[in-house]
């Protein structure tokens, strides 16, 4: 917001909890975040040229790695409000907003992009506890097939977008990261990673199987917290625990889920 006094030499975060690509009326949607980026860039260049070493110059911004991870909240919103068929038809609109954001950053000189696809939302305790379900809509691990299929459709279109932009834009690097496969593997093989109750929130209300109730969410009402949060994948039904995020991060850094398989540190300016 008004944080120009901070040190941004190691990066800037424009993300905010609950943000979506759409609708345009949604607070801090992707368009708003891009507008904030434009404002930051303009002020940063101005103050950097005046000797402010805590900000970024033109070369810094051109060589920066722009990380984009958005879409899950969009999918969660449309699957909760529309029929499955109508929700699927909204996905191209979300992809278009991501394409527009990448192109705007590119036009400002950005050339390195790290794009995450979305995770298996049908495995989230929140989804499992709140969506209307049918007995044949569960896979062998207890996740909702329909929601996960929706996430896969989003991811397929996002992958194709990255392929298209690599062909269209000169001197651009776009790494597509398959977060879905990482997270689904974590849930499907949870015991191998030391986790228990992979579909149950650590912080929530209601107990097994999901420990999630919309009127008693983590931090609200009569919620409780599990004894050992490091044993759980889901923190509050929608977000992962620190332990689970660490497992996801290690997989991301392996490059086994990246297209192309570029090492993350190849984008870093590491001083000797």
């Amino acid at each position: 917001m008004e944080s120009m006094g901070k040190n941004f030499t190691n990066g800037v975060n424009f993300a905010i909890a609950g943000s979506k690509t759409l609708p345009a009326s949604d607070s801090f949607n992707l368009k708003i975040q891009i507008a904030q980026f434009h404002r930051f860039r303009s002020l940063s260049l101005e103050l950097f040229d005046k000797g402010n070493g805590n900000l970024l110059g033109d070369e810094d911004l051109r060589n920066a790695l722009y990380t984009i991870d958005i879409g899950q909240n969009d999918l969660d919103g449309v699957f909760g409000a529309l029929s499955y068929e109508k929700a699927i038809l909204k996905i191209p609109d979300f992809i278009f907003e991501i394409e527009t954001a990448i192109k705007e950053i590119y036009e400002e000189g950005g050339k390195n992009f790290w794009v995450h696809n979305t995770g298996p939302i049908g495995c989230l305790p929140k989804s499992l506890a709140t969506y209307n379900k049918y007995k044949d809509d569960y896979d062998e691990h207890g996740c909702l097939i329909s929601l996960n299929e929706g996430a896969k459709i989003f991811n397929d279109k996002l992958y194709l977008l990255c392929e298209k932009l690599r062909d269209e834009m000169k001197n651009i690097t776009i790494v597509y990261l398959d977060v879905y496969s990482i997270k689904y593997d974590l849930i499907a093989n949870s015991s191998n990673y030391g986790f228990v109750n992979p579909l149950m929130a650590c912080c929530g209300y209601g107990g097994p199987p999901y420990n999630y109730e919309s009127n008693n969410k983590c931090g609200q009402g009569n919620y409780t917290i599990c004894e050992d949060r490091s044993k759980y994948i889901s923190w509050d039904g929608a977000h992962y625990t620190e332990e689970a995020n660490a497992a996801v991060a290690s997989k991301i850094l392996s490059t086994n889920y990246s297209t192309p398989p570029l090492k993350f540190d190849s984008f870093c300016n590491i001083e000797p």
Side-chain angles (χ1 to χ4, degrees):
M1 300 294 283
E2 298 294 338
S3 55
M4 297 306 294
K6 304 295 182 181
N7 188 324
F8 291 108
T9 55
N10 283 321
V12 190
N13 185 8
F14 296 94
I16 189 168
S19 62
K20 303 175 182 178
T21 65
L22 290 170
S25 59
D26 190 64
S27 298
F28 297 104
N29 62 59
L30 186 55
K31 277 191 175 72
I32 298 296
Q33 294 177 41
I34 292 297
Q36 289 179 326
F37 162 71
H38 289 313
R39 178 174 181 271
F40 171 82
R41 182 181 183 279
S42 177
L43 288 171
S44 183
L45 291 174
E46 176 185 339
L47 296 174
F48 182 84
D49 288 342
K50 292 180 179 179
N52 190 325
N54 290 334
L55 290 163
L56 305 172
D58 183 66
E59 185 177 354
D60 300 319
L61 290 161
R62 289 181 182 278
N63 292 327
L65 178 63
Y66 294 88
T67 306
I68 297 176
D69 186 333
I70 196 166
Q72 180 172 302
N73 290 327
D74 291 279
L75 294 175
D76 180 55
V78 294
F79 284 130
L82 304 173
S83 69
Y84 184 79
E85 292 74 17
K86 289 183 178 179
I88 294 299
L89 292 176
K90 292 288 185 181
I91 290 177
D93 295 335
F94 307 150
I95 299 298
F96 177 76
E97 295 300 321
I98 295 172
E99 177 179 6
T100 301
I102 292 174
K103 285 182 174 179
E104 286 197 34
I105 296 170
Y106 178 78
E107 289 170 1
E108 293 279 19
K111 60 184 181 181
N112 300 315
F113 295 87
W114 188 272
V115 182
H116 290 187
N117 71 12
T118 200
I121 59 174
C123 300
L124 296 176
K126 175 186 175 184
S127 300
L128 290 161
T130 57
Y131 284 107
N132 293 326
K133 303 173 285 292
Y134 303 96
K135 61 181 181 180
D136 59 349
D137 195 24
Y138 295 92
D139 67 14
E140 66 270 32
H141 302 294
C143 301
L144 290 171
I145 297 171
S146 58
L147 293 190
N148 281 349
E149 286 301 315
K152 289 177 182 178
I153 292 171
F154 173 90
N155 292 339
D156 287 344
K157 293 185 181 300
L158 186 63
Y159 178 86
L160 291 175
L161 170 65
C162 292
E163 293 280 294
K164 184 184 82 163
L165 294 179
R166 288 192 202 102
D167 291 337
E168 291 179 355
M169 298 177 173
K170 295 180 180 179
N171 301 319
I172 191 171
T173 300
I174 302 178
V175 176
Y176 171 88
L177 206 294
D178 186 9
V179 174
Y180 182 99
S181 293
I182 294 173
K183 290 186 173 180
Y184 191 81
D185 174 66
L186 201 65
I187 292 161
N189 300 291
S190 56
S191 60
N192 294 342
Y193 295 95
F195 294 112
V196 299
N197 304 321
L199 304 180
M200 183 172 166
C202 168
C203 180
Y205 180 81
Y210 309 124
N211 197 37
Y212 184 91
E213 185 178 287
S214 57
N215 294 326
N216 290 286
K217 293 185 288 188
C218 183
Q220 302 173 11
N222 299 315
Y223 73 96
T224 59
I225 299 176
C226 63
E227 289 186 8
D228 188 355
R229 65 193 70 184
S230 69
K231 296 293 184 182
Y232 280 70
I233 292 174
S234 178
W235 165 241
D236 60 0
H239 304 97
Y240 281 33
T241 60
E242 284 295 308
E243 198 76 16
N245 277 327
V248 171
S250 69
K251 296 279 189 178
I252 288 174
L253 295 175
S254 74
T255 75
N256 293 332
Y257 300 86
S258 300
T259 306
L262 297 179
K263 288 188 176 295
F264 188 83
D265 59 9
S266 67
F267 298 99
C268 300
N269 180 17
I270 302 174
E271 295 183 0

